[in-house]
Amino acid sequence: MTTEAKTPLETPQGESENVSKPGWRKRWLDTKEAFVNVKGAFRLVWRAHPSATLAMAVVTLLFALIPAGQALVGKLIVDKVVESLSRRVPIEQSFGEALPLLIIEFGLFTLYAVLNQLNTFLEHLINARLGHSIHMQIMQKAISLDLHYFEDPKFYDKLQNAQREVNYRPLTIVNQSFLMVQNLISILTLLALLLAFGPVVALLLFGAVLPGFLAQMRFSKLYFRLLTWHAPEFRRKTYWEHLLTVDSSMKEIKLFGLGEPLLRRYDAQFWQLYQEDANLARRRTITSVLWSLIATVAYYGAYAWVVYRTLLGEFTLGDLTLYLTVLRQSQGSFAGLFYAIGQIYEGSLFMSNLFSFLAIESQETAPHPQARPMPTTIQHGVEFRNVSFRYPDRTDYALQGVNLHIRPGERIALVGGNGAGKTTLVKLLTRLYEPTEGQIFLDGVELRDYDLTELRERVGVIFQDFVQYQATARENVGFGQIKALDDLGRIEDAARRGGGDRVVAELDQGYETMLGRWFDHGHELSGGQWQKIALSRAFMRDGALLVLDEPTSALDAEREYEIFQRFRDLTTGKMALLISHRFSTVRMADRIAVLEQGQIAELGSHAELLALNGTYARLFNLQAQGYR
């Protein structure tokens, strides 16, 4: 079998450059599959604004009937004038006979203008709601997905493809679908008038437009492939732009002199994408011009034939006027019909990105059929039994064979090198991930059998890479328990326990001060101040378990010592899981678990592990020497 080498633009990612050219059956199935998305686009538009969508349908129907009415009235006016001239009817009488027809034609043109403005108004109403509605669905889907999706670059490619052009693609599909119906109705009504001059003329006009339509369909698919395949490059360009325009990176960019080099990378990425886009647009334009010329030649050839027949006396001047109007309108309707189908096809291709993203399934969102409520008081604690975990698309285990029992009221510290599995263990405990193997129990019941929302409400967590919300100080603390966002007393108590109260005391508007520099009147905090706010946020949860992942890494030594002197008081009656590289901190825990290569290598109190003289003792002594 012979093969045809495709250009990179035509070769899907992951496929060989030399692939067999698809047959007509494959192309037909691909086209049919693309048009399936039209139904979904209509659902999106209907959901955004049902009444406006229905009104657009009515406007479309009226639009469709106007062309044939205009052509017929135009013919009657010309025939009436010619008849009056041939019978030498007085001008007042002949004008009086033609006036009703003129009024009807005026009414049709006025109706067309009113409908056009009404259609624009309806599009504006729908478009305003549509973009919001779709972005809401995308964000709703995003927050429902498992955490591992957000650690996969391919997911972000899907997300970018879903977000691209969603503000107008669905409305374009609906608009063009209405236009397709409108043009189809117009063609059928005009065709009835055009057949009076012969089917050959109708066939000629249709045949001249069809090749251009097929060419546009092909270029629509190529354009879709171009943008879809280049999602990683688009994200990289957006990333360079983000780095060069936000406060979090600007200090380092200026100090390291990265501004111009990164700007050049952004510029080079743009021109790489632009070149391929421009090449495709150039080919599309040249092809469109050539087929447009062919269609124009066919139109004027048919026009000349009718003029010739009129000069022979076979057609009246009214017939000529009717044909001229029908010819122009039918050609426009044919072109509009095929253009609409092409736009629907192109839009449907892009909509497949959105629908495939919304179709992503998450295990997290599936409610447990018999979810158990969380116990009011923890009796036996949390137990890891032979727990292993492997991140999706990874072959190595982040955790393997972990056995750990956290008793009620006990404080456990996790230590180990980067990548040892400390944060992964926390993610499993909070059910951001599910174990690949083994089980986690809470009071003898498997963790996954509890209601997920209630479980997370009973756990207070602060990660090292906590979020700095560009919001008020009250919200930054209160987001730890969104249900208590208006409970200032509880927020103040959480801030006192986490150290955020001293930060707020220095702010001009107290808890109503906007934090960060993104919005007007914002107040930027230091790294240590942000961490105190985040720590306060963790104390908003009145839960049975408090998880602190490097909670004091940005605090000064005095404040860190003060917080952990109160560590036992702050966690009274709670289980606490503490991750830290500072051994002066972890020694305050009841027991310390040393993780190495995803396994618990040592477990015991500070004194017991020093006596063991293993990894913990070596790391503790090594760190202690740095302070001598």
Side-chain angles (χ1 to χ4, degrees):
M1 180 182 293
T2 59
T3 58
E4 181 179 275
K6 293 190 175 184
T7 66
L9 193 62
E10 299 179 73
T11 305
Q13 286 181 332
E15 290 187 10
S16 171
E17 289 293 327
N18 295 319
V19 293
S20 298
K21 189 174 182 179
W24 66 268
R25 182 177 178 81
K26 176 67 165 56
R27 291 181 177 179
W28 164 249
L29 291 176
D30 289 344
T31 303
K32 182 180 178 182
E33 182 178 352
F35 279 108
V36 170
N37 294 324
V38 174
K39 184 178 180 180
F42 266 91
R43 281 199 302 267
L44 290 173
V45 174
W46 178 264
R47 185 183 303 173
H49 205 317
S51 58
T53 306
L54 185 61
M56 282 186 65
V58 175
V59 168
T60 297
L61 180 61
L62 294 175
F63 261 135
L65 298 175
I66 288 177
Q70 290 175 331
L72 185 58
V73 172
K75 165 188 164 49
L76 295 176
I77 291 174
V78 172
D79 282 342
K80 177 61 68 178
V81 171
V82 171
E83 179 187 359
S84 298
L85 290 175
S86 63
R87 293 192 292 113
R88 300 184 181 278
V89 176
I91 187 171
E92 293 82 3
Q93 180 182 345
S94 60
F95 183 75
E97 293 174 353
L99 184 60
L101 296 173
L102 291 172
I103 293 175
I104 293 174
E105 188 167 32
F106 172 77
L108 291 174
F109 276 101
T110 302
L111 178 61
Y112 185 89
V114 171
L115 291 176
N116 194 44
Q117 292 301 317
L118 179 58
N119 194 65
T120 302
F121 170 70
L122 293 171
E123 284 185 20
H124 179 81
L125 292 182
I126 294 175
N127 197 52
R129 294 192 185 184
L130 182 62
H132 171 71
S133 175
I134 295 177
H135 282 292
M136 283 289 290
Q137 291 183 62
I138 290 176
M139 290 185 286
Q140 187 70 44
K141 170 58 68 172
I143 64 177
S144 72
L145 293 175
D146 303 309
L147 183 62
H148 73 82
Y149 284 109
F150 296 89
E151 298 172 346
D152 182 1
K154 294 179 181 178
F155 168 78
Y156 289 100
D157 293 339
K158 280 181 171 288
L159 177 60
Q160 172 146 335
N161 284 330
Q163 292 174 321
R164 181 187 294 119
E165 301 172 289
V166 297
N167 285 337
Y168 80 94
R169 286 288 181 185
L171 183 57
T172 297
I173 291 176
V174 172
N175 274 339
Q176 296 302 325
S177 296
F178 283 150
L179 284 174
M180 180 182 70
V181 174
Q182 172 186 325
N183 285 310
L184 186 60
I185 295 174
S186 296
I187 287 171
L188 293 176
T189 54
L190 293 171
L191 189 62
L193 299 174
L194 196 62
L195 287 175
F197 297 92
V200 176
V201 175
L203 183 62
L204 180 63
L205 295 176
F206 177 83
V209 178
L210 182 59
F213 158 69
L214 296 176
Q216 289 299 322
M217 291 273 284
R218 172 175 170 76
F219 280 108
S220 293
K221 190 168 187 177
L222 292 178
Y223 180 60
F224 164 72
R225 288 180 176 179
L226 173 68
L227 294 186
T228 299
W229 295 345
H230 282 311
E233 286 81 0
F234 278 111
R235 278 199 302 112
R236 193 172 294 116
K237 184 170 72 74
T238 303
Y239 175 66
W240 300 134
E241 181 181 5
H242 174 77
L243 283 180
L244 292 168
T245 54
V246 297
D247 56 345
S248 58
S249 57
M250 191 52 66
K251 295 188 295 293
E252 189 164 306
I253 285 175
K254 285 184 174 294
L255 288 174
F256 291 166
L258 297 176
E260 286 298 326
L262 293 184
L263 186 61
R264 286 194 294 271
R265 289 192 179 192
Y266 172 85
D267 188 57
Q269 194 78 72
F270 165 79
W271 286 109
Q272 176 190 348
L273 296 169
Y274 170 81
Q275 194 61 46
E276 293 191 42
D277 181 70
N279 289 337
L280 179 60
R282 187 180 302 111
R283 291 164 54 193
R284 189 173 193 167
T285 300
I286 292 173
T287 302
S288 298
V289 169
L290 291 175
W291 286 115
S292 177
L293 288 175
I294 293 174
T296 302
V297 169
Y299 164 71
Y300 278 100
Y303 186 18
W305 178 78
V306 173
V307 170
Y308 179 74
R309 297 287 298 274
T310 303
L311 292 174
L312 291 177
E314 296 179 8
F315 296 151
T316 66
L317 288 178
D319 292 335
L320 177 62
T321 302
L322 174 63
Y323 174 77
L324 179 60
T325 304
V326 170
L327 197 62
R328 287 176 175 173
Q329 291 182 342
S330 61
Q331 189 192 37
S333 296
F334 274 126
L337 174 65
F338 292 135
Y339 176 80
I341 295 175
Q343 289 296 296
I344 294 169
Y345 176 70
E346 180 176 310
S348 296
L349 290 172
F350 282 94
M351 290 302 296
S352 64
N353 287 327
L354 172 63
F355 294 137
S356 65
F357 177 82
L358 295 178
I360 296 176
E361 294 185 359
S362 172
Q363 294 178 352
E364 179 177 301
T365 58
H368 194 287
Q370 296 177 332
R372 300 182 56 158
M374 286 284 291
T376 305
T377 304
I378 304 299
Q379 301 292 333
H380 304 289
V382 175
E383 184 178 1
F384 288 75
R385 295 183 188 174
N386 298 315
V387 171
S388 298
F389 177 75
R390 184 177 61 234
Y391 283 95
D393 302 324
R394 293 285 298 272
T395 57
D396 57 321
Y397 280 84
L399 290 175
Q400 192 163 21
V402 171
N403 290 282
L404 178 65
H405 185 194
I406 308 174
R407 304 181 184 94
E410 186 179 30
R411 301 152 183 87
I412 297 286
L414 300 178
V415 300
N418 292 331
K422 303 184 298 296
T423 300
T424 300
L425 190 145
V426 172
K427 291 177 180 177
L428 293 176
L429 183 57
T430 53
R431 286 194 62 196
L432 292 173
Y433 286 109
E434 299 290 352
T436 305
E437 301 169 12
Q439 298 166 298
I440 305 175
F441 292 90
L442 174 62
D443 274 4
V445 178
E446 193 170 357
L447 209 61
R448 70 181 69 197
D449 290 336
Y450 287 109
D451 180 80
L452 179 60
T453 301
E454 189 177 352
L455 170 68
R456 290 179 178 169
E457 286 181 348
R458 298 288 300 279
V459 179
V461 184
I462 171 176
F463 289 104
Q464 184 176 8
D465 54 347
F466 57 84
V467 179
Q468 299 177 8
Y469 293 101
Q470 304 288 314
T472 65
R474 176 177 59 81
E475 291 169 323
N476 264 278
V477 176
F479 281 167
Q481 179 53 269
I482 193 68
K483 296 179 180 179
L485 189 58
D486 295 325
D487 188 345
L488 186 58
R490 183 169 174 177
I491 290 174
E492 290 174 340
D493 181 63
R496 179 185 56 79
R497 290 191 288 165
D501 56 337
R502 296 188 181 183
V503 177
V504 175
E506 299 175 2
L507 302 176
D508 293 338
Q509 300 179 43
Y511 283 96
E512 296 307 317
T513 303
M514 179 68 68
L515 301 186
R517 291 292 190 186
W518 285 24
F519 304 107
D520 290 341
H521 310 298
H523 185 96
E524 187 56 83
L525 303 180
S526 67
Q529 289 175 318
W530 274 116
Q531 195 151 27
K532 293 173 186 177
I533 293 293
L535 191 58
S536 301
R537 185 159 62 239
F539 283 109
M540 280 293 293
R541 289 288 172 98
D542 186 20
L545 175 64
L546 180 64
V547 179
L548 305 179
D549 185 353
E550 293 287 354
T552 60
S553 60
L555 297 181
D556 56 76
E558 181 180 1
R559 187 57 185 166
E560 179 196 22
Y561 178 78
E562 179 184 342
I563 285 180
F564 282 102
Q565 280 296 101
R566 299 164 53 206
F567 182 67
R568 290 183 180 275
D569 294 335
L570 293 172
T571 57
T572 298
K574 302 177 185 293
M575 291 180 293
L577 195 62
L578 170 65
I579 299 176
S580 179
H581 288 93
R582 297 183 183 181
F583 287 84
S584 59
T585 297
V586 301
R587 67 185 298 176
M588 300 178 187
D590 299 316
R591 287 191 297 160
I592 302 166
V594 181
L595 273 75
E596 291 184 312
Q597 297 181 344
Q599 297 178 317
I600 295 181
E602 299 174 9
L603 179 64
S605 66
H606 172 71
E608 291 171 343
L609 294 183
L610 285 182
L612 185 63
N613 199 26
T615 300
Y616 178 82
R618 178 177 60 82
L619 293 175
F620 178 82
N621 291 324
L622 186 65
Q623 191 173 105
Q625 289 177 5
Y627 292 96
R628 292 171 183 167

